[in-house]
Amino acid sequence: MKSVPENRLTNSGFGSATSVSFLSLTRLRGMGSLIALILIMGVFAVSSPAFLQIQNLMNIIVQVAVIAVIAAGAMFIILTGGIDLSVGGVMALAGVLAASAVRASDSTTLGIVVCLGTAVLFGLLAGVLVTYGRIPPFVCTLGTMSIARGIAFVYSGGIPISGFPESFRFAGSGEIAGIPMMVIIPVVIYAILYFVLVRTPFGKIVYAIGSNEEATRLTGIDTQKYKLFVYSLAGLLTGIGALLYIGRINSGHPGSGIGYELNAIAAVVIGGTSLSGGRGSIIGTVIGALIMGVISNGLNLMNIDPYFQSVVLGTVIVFAVMIDQHSQK
Amino acid sequence: MTITKRTFLAVMSMTLPLVLGAGTALAGNAKVFGYAVQDLGNQYWVAVANGVKDQAKTLGVDVVVMDARTDAARELSNIDDMIQKKVDAILLSPWDANSGANAVAAANKAKIPVFVLDIGVASGSIESLIVSDNLKGGRIAGEFVASKIPANAEVAHISCQPGYVIPALRGQGFKEVMKEKGINIVASQTAESQRAKGMDVMQNILQAHPNLAAVFAENDEMALGAVEAIAAAGKSKQVLVVGFDGTGDALASIKDGRMAATVAQQPYEMGKLGVDTAVALLNDGKKPEGETYVPVKLITSDTLPAK
Amino acid sequence: MAAALEMRGVSKRYPGVVALDNVDLTVSHGEIHAIVGENGAGKSTLMRILSGATTMDQGNIRIDDVAVEIGSSQRAIDLGIGTVYQNLNLVTDLTVAENIYMNRFPMRGGFIDRQKIADGARRALSEMNSDIAPSMRVGDLSVADQQMIAIARVLAYDIKILILDEPTSSLSKAESDDLFRNMRRLKSRGVSIIFISHHMDEIFSVADTVTVLRDGRLIGRWRTNELDEHALVHHMVGREVTEMFPKEVVPIGDVVLSANHISVDGMVHDVSFCVRKGEVLGIGGLVGAGRTELVKSVFGACPGRSGDICLDGQPVDIRSPKQAVEAGIAFVPEDRRYEGLITEFSIEDNIGLGSIWELTRRFVVDAKARTKLSDDMIQTMNVKTPSGKQLVKNLSGGNQQKVVLGKWFARQPKVIIFDEPTRGIDVGAKAEIYRKIGELAKVGVAVIIVSSELPELMGISDRIIVLNKGRMTGEFARAAFSADRIMLAATGKAGLDATSPRGQQQ
């Protein structure tokens, strides 16, 4: 008796010639984007002598640090089959409140607590609405985005709050042994999240929820609780992103972070994560963020018309999703 | 599947050189300026950028334009990229005075001279601020309004966001003239630089002051919103609208007789002046003034540029 | 007279696998022709070729003695071949009439002619003795009615050959009988019907002829009156299935789980039952009788339950599957691909997920322990797979079900609840699942089985309770099993059976 139902033979019969390439491709998920990254970097290296210098590569990481950190959170949510559109607004609010707390108290600790706390609270709020309130994540986070940005404008009166002590700016503009914190922090975060996703039960459960939430629930796993946790985690990462952001530009601006949610989602998608959940890798996401940063930086160095940059970026996103779709079949 | 991957790589490797070709290769020994602009989605900044590019071409300087797309962090990234490229001077139109200060700090550290076009910066060492004479512009608007209405008439003033220094100068100039002429400003509200808000605010003002004779808005967008609100209230003949900036929409509205006047900034001239100032310093060692003013001019239906 | 359909020497090869190897099929006019075979035998591929969904590598097809090429689904319909797939392909948000006329709406002045489609739909349905209103939303109808509509839609074309792919898989006995009456009516009008089914009793009651496939090859073609069930199964599996229901006598111990006065909002009304150590309790009834809701609510997966549940004599509060699993209850759902398994995961990941916290040491999943657990379960459950890394979606239905069993068995539960454990599983694998259920009982697990298949229920249960419209209408000890009386209870025509007292007092 064959163990493969006949109607599946076309796409995934194991032991067959096609299945070998299919399986190896599945294992190499994210490799497509890595190849694309190397290729793009190759083109820039040839066309701009400044591109491959250590300082420039460091610049690229600094430039994508905020997106990379919030993309990691977005990725966890997308893995569970959800989406988070609130990050830009939450970043702005966390930034404004933290800036104001720091200005008022001169306490770096308070600023950090306010920044991370605000973002986690908004993550938790979205999580509660999505799980227990049964509101679709798209609508729910569209709402919380607007709420957060609205509060940011109301609270600040539309005026940026600037001027922080050096210690508060350390995360965004400090460096250790010549390496910017904007490089160190994302690397540490990604290392931790990689471990969490690949080795811990939490990681497995995140994938399981995204692949088949009902089956996961019927296996005796409290899926609601984990989703709540995932949204809070994404909130925390948004908070860290906000901390880096305001530290870098030395200002909490209510209009900051506009469009960051889409950039974060784009990084996740370019990295090969499926928007329907359950499939994706953390390495892919970091590569996705880097591709976006490299393109922006390289085209800048090559003096390409700024308008044209978004055309190129859009093209890359479309190709990334196309690869994703074809490897799903 | 393998076909798709190959196609992807093929297309990518074909697209990028194309993109490469779209940019102009930089000549070896000419000076290179970087222009970091806040938002090329805005006509005004596009005009400044065109002034920069055209004047640079005339003077034989290469210029790299980088767009921050209204994001302070991207603005800083752009400055980093310019430093990486070792440009000879940076022209900067910052997102706001604070983000500008960060950009200038980075350029100062790399010892690259900075010329700020409009907006201004909160701190840092710059060669010159090239800016429209906004206070004067506000005064010009005030003089125009005063010449058209009786001294006992009621006028209103619509401002940009509180804390925006440059538009506030326009309002200040306008108010000075009103005070001198003894004209009463019955309402002064903010519409956050936006057309839709301008319309809402104007509706409210008209409700409170039905006999209003004129309104001055600190930018054209808000003025155009006010025009709509006035038309909806059927008071187009009664209320005089004066804006600031001289955008295409505003000029069209003046041509149609819906708006009375605008104080035109000359962004293209600003861009040219920026390059002139930088070239004068770098090539001829001529130190510029701390602030360099770009003239503004009143545009009414009589002085509309022929087109 | 020439045959309605003749397929000769049909072969179809997928990379690495021969799906069909030189298969013949002959269907006469006005004949109901069953095609049987285990999953993977080639039935679906053959039907896909016939309906134009795929093409054959070799072979030829003649309809009424005329050679034809079927290249597309449209071409198949033009040739008079209509197919009703198992999943029906209806648009649930549209009306009955709209579904029947999908793709070929009669237009009047640029708009759909609503009167015409309503009349046409009514006519098509009345031909099948159905009085479903054409204006009903399809999603509001029962599965049986939806099936009727799917058939009516196909018949609205000039169909000479109708293919029904496992049409009874979601129907109750009475609904199936209705369907069979309609099939006979169509047959009397000269339509030839190709009928795919796993159910022996259906094949013998409705089909005239049967073609048996095994491993992509033709085994033979018989008239149904030439052979019996036993022989047919033998042809299908190529071996004797001596003991379909290998029921072992197991000592039955104390009550493990008792559920008292269970009600579920509008679906189940005041049902009490218990199950003992080593006992297999069957729950019978028609589709929609509330059986699934009853067992799901005991597992904490169905909201709106009232009543108490006791485990080992202690009351337990079960409001979520998590609490149920922690209390030692396991649930094997009816739809394994959507509720039982994560098909994109490997076998190892699925089995590991069930015991994920038990496999965790200091925040990290112990990969070695997980592989060992999974390999043990693969062996215990006899899952046919090259390795535990194989994705579950690449397994056959029977093997998938064994993975679900493995996932739960690894937790050593006190109670296992099965909902339709052998649905869509081929005959050979079914016997194996029954054997595994028997083994579970033998090691002292209390087993609850919901099944619509009476022979299955009677074959493996020690005791059967029957539901009708959410109420318990019968309880039978094994000695008192009778298909007639269980059926009667299921249709609500009999009261509580006197031959066996209620479980608790036994």
Side-chain angles (χ1 to χ4, degrees), chain A residues 35 47 50 53 55-56 63 159-160 162 245 248-250 253 260 297 300-304 306-308 319, chain B residues 8-9 11 19-20 40 46 63-66 71-73 76-78 80-81 84-85 95-96 98 102 162:
Chain A
I35 292 166
S47 52
Q53 290 172 12
Q55 180 59 46
N56 191 55
Q63 289 167 12
I159 304 165
S162 311
Y245 185 93
R248 179 160 186 235
I249 68 165
N250 193 19
H253 195 299
Y260 273 43
N297 169 274
N300 262 353
L301 293 185
M302 281 168 60
N303 192 22
I304 303 299
Y307 289 146
F308 204 77
F319 269 102
Chain B
F8 172 74
L9 297 183
V11 174
V19 171
L20 204 154
L40 283 184
V46 173
V63 66
V64 187
V65 179
M66 297 190 193
D71 182 348
L76 208 46
S77 299
N78 286 342
D80 285 343
D81 290 346
Q84 187 65 30
K85 245 185 113 60
W95 170 232
D96 63 21
N98 292 309
N102 289 316

Side-chain angles (χ1 to χ4, degrees), chain C residues 260-279:
Chain C
N260 303 309
H261 308 293
I262 302 292
S263 294
V264 179
D265 291 347
M267 312 292 279
V268 178
H269 310 284
D270 193 22
V271 173
S272 300
F273 67 90
C274 72
V275 57
R276 294 154 186 276
K277 203 168 155 66
E279 184 186 35

Side-chain angles (χ1 to χ4, degrees), chain B residues 140 144 242 245-246 251 254 259-265 297-305:
Chain B
I140 292 173
F144 174 75
V242 179
D245 281 345
L251 299 186
I254 291 170
M259 204 162 126
T262 182
V263 180
Q265 303 205 69
K297 60 179 185 192
L298 184 77
I299 296 179
T300 65
S301 57
D302 302 330
T303 61
L304 265 180

Side-chain angles (χ1 to χ4, degrees), chain A:
Chain A
M1 192 178 77
K2 282 195 297 290
S3 48
V4 183
E6 54 208 337
N7 56 350
R8 299 260 170 80
L9 285 175
T10 40
N11 39 50
S12 56
F14 60 82
S16 70
T18 46
S19 72
V20 173
S21 65
F22 172 76
L23 281 177
S24 55
L25 205 94
T26 314
R27 209 174 320 119
L28 299 182
R29 177 165 295 290
M31 282 301 276
S33 50
L34 182 60
I35 292 166
L37 176 63
I38 293 168
L39 206 79
I40 293 167
M41 289 183 72
V43 172
F44 286 141
V46 171
S47 52
S48 170
F51 181 78
L52 271 188
Q53 290 172 12
I54 297 292
Q55 180 59 46
N56 191 55
L57 298 181
M58 209 86 104
N59 279 354
I60 292 174
I61 299 178
V62 169
Q63 289 167 12
V64 300
V66 173
I67 289 290
V69 169
I70 62 177
M75 183 204 170
F76 269 82
I77 290 180
I78 290 172
L79 273 185
T80 65
I83 194 112
D84 187 356
L85 297 179
S86 71
V87 285
V90 172
M91 245 182 76
L93 177 61
V96 165
L97 293 183
S100 136
V102 170
R103 287 297 299 268
S105 68
D106 225 21
S107 157
T108 295
T109 319
L110 183 71
I112 292 173
V113 168
V114 168
C115 190
L116 302 186
T118 306
V120 169
L121 269 179
F122 263 84
L124 197 64
L125 172 69
V128 168
L129 292 173
V130 166
T131 53
Y132 300 105
R134 294 175 192 280
I135 301 174
F138 188 97
V139 180
C140 167
T141 56
L142 201 61
T144 53
M145 166 184 78
S146 184
I147 294 169
R149 191 172 296 286
I151 297 175
F153 270 106
V154 169
Y155 182 84
S156 64
I159 304 165
I161 300 167
S162 311
F164 309 130
E166 273 306 311
S167 60
F168 186 66
R169 294 191 61 191
F170 186 69
S173 59
E175 46 186 55
I176 292 177
I179 303 172
M181 289 306 287
M182 291 282 273
V183 174
I184 295 173
I185 291 177
V187 167
V188 169
I189 286 178
Y190 269 83
I192 294 172
L193 293 181
Y194 178 81
F195 177 81
V196 166
L197 210 48
V198 174
R199 302 289 304 279
T200 68
F202 173 69
K204 268 291 161 207
I205 290 169
V206 166
Y207 280 106
I209 290 174
S211 292
N212 187 337
E213 187 170 349
E214 185 63 5
T216 309
R217 187 177 79 96
L218 291 178
T219 300
I221 290 168
D222 188 345
T223 53
Q224 305 285 63
K225 188 177 84 185
Y226 288 98
K227 278 167 79 179
L228 206 59
F229 190 76
V230 163
Y231 278 87
S232 308
L233 174 67
L236 177 67
L237 290 165
T238 303
I240 296 173
L243 209 54
L244 297 180
Y245 185 93
I246 62 175
R248 179 160 186 235
I249 68 165
N250 193 19
S251 161
H253 195 299
S256 62
I258 288 175
Y260 273 43
E261 56 280 339
L262 297 181
N263 282 335
I265 293 167
V268 174
V269 170
I270 292 173
T273 296
S274 158
L275 275 179
S276 49
R279 294 183 310 113
S281 80
I282 194 91
I283 305 288
T285 301
V286 79
I287 292 172
L290 283 172
I291 285 180
M292 295 179 52
V294 163
I295 288 178
S296 169
N297 169 274
L299 296 182
N300 262 353
L301 293 185
M302 281 168 60
N303 192 22
I304 303 299
D305 184 345
Y307 289 146
F308 204 77
Q309 298 194 10
S310 47
V311 176
V312 176
L313 197 60
T315 312
V316 171
I317 293 175
V318 170
F319 269 102
V321 177
M322 205 165 89
I323 285 198
D324 187 48
Q325 288 298 322
H326 281 268
S327 62
Q328 259 185 49
K329 274 194 189 156

Side-chain angles (χ1 to χ4, degrees), chain C residues 135-189:
Chain C
S135 58
M136 291 271 290
R137 196 178 143 271
V138 164
D140 295 334
L141 299 173
S142 71
V143 178
D145 285 345
Q146 291 187 7
Q147 185 133 40
M148 204 82 86
I149 288 153
I151 295 173
R153 178 171 64 176
V154 169
L155 290 178
Y157 298 95
D158 187 17
I159 291 301
K160 287 176 285 185
I161 299 165
L162 177 65
I163 303 170
L164 299 176
D165 187 8
E166 295 199 40
T168 59
S169 60
S170 332
L171 301 187
S172 67
K173 183 79 176 68
E175 289 167 339
S176 299
D177 288 342
D178 260 354
L179 175 70
F180 297 151
R181 266 192 292 282
N182 274 314
M183 285 166 67
R184 290 192 191 99
R185 193 174 298 125
L186 289 170
K187 170 183 156 180
S188 69
R189 279 172 32 193

Side-chain angles (χ1 to χ4, degrees), chain C residues 36-109:
Chain C
V36 299
E38 297 188 74
N39 286 341
K43 305 181 301 271
S44 303
T45 308
L46 192 63
M47 292 307 105
R48 284 165 60 80
I49 290 169
L50 204 47
S51 64
T54 188
T55 53
M56 56 191 175
D57 300 336
Q58 276 163 28
N60 56 69
I61 302 175
R62 302 177 81 82
I63 290 178
D64 288 329
D65 218 17
V66 178
V68 296
E69 297 269 343
I70 307 173
S72 67
S73 337
Q74 189 53 49
R75 177 78 184 130
I77 286 173
D78 293 344
L79 289 167
I81 304 170
T83 310
V84 176
Y85 292 100
Q86 206 175 345
N87 64 6
L88 303 182
N89 288 334
L90 295 171
V91 184
T92 50
D93 278 324
L94 293 183
T95 66
V96 171
E98 285 163 346
N99 267 286
I100 289 177
Y101 277 92
M102 189 59 62
N103 294 342
R104 55 197 167 102
F105 286 115
M107 308 297 274
R108 198 173 62 183

Side-chain angles (χ1 to χ4, degrees), chain C residues 371-438:
Chain C
T371 305
K372 183 172 181 314
L373 179 75
S374 154
D375 288 348
D376 284 354
M377 287 304 128
I378 288 171
Q379 206 175 4
T380 311
M381 293 300 155
N382 192 21
V383 182
K384 285 172 195 129
T385 175
S387 99
K389 312 286 184 207
Q390 181 66 38
L391 298 186
V392 162
K393 67 176 176 185
N394 294 336
L395 301 176
S396 70
N399 279 307
Q400 289 182 346
Q401 191 70 311
K402 290 182 206 164
V403 175
V404 182
L405 280 181
K407 174 175 84 174
W408 290 123
F409 194 63
R411 296 192 59 90
Q412 301 177 312
K414 294 175 190 157
V415 181
I416 295 192
I417 302 169
F418 291 88
D419 192 1
E420 304 286 2
T422 61
R423 172 149 296 171
I425 290 176
D426 56 62
V427 179
K430 265 187 187 176
E432 236 183 309
I433 300 282
Y434 298 142
R435 209 158 29 241
K436 293 300 165 199
I437 291 173

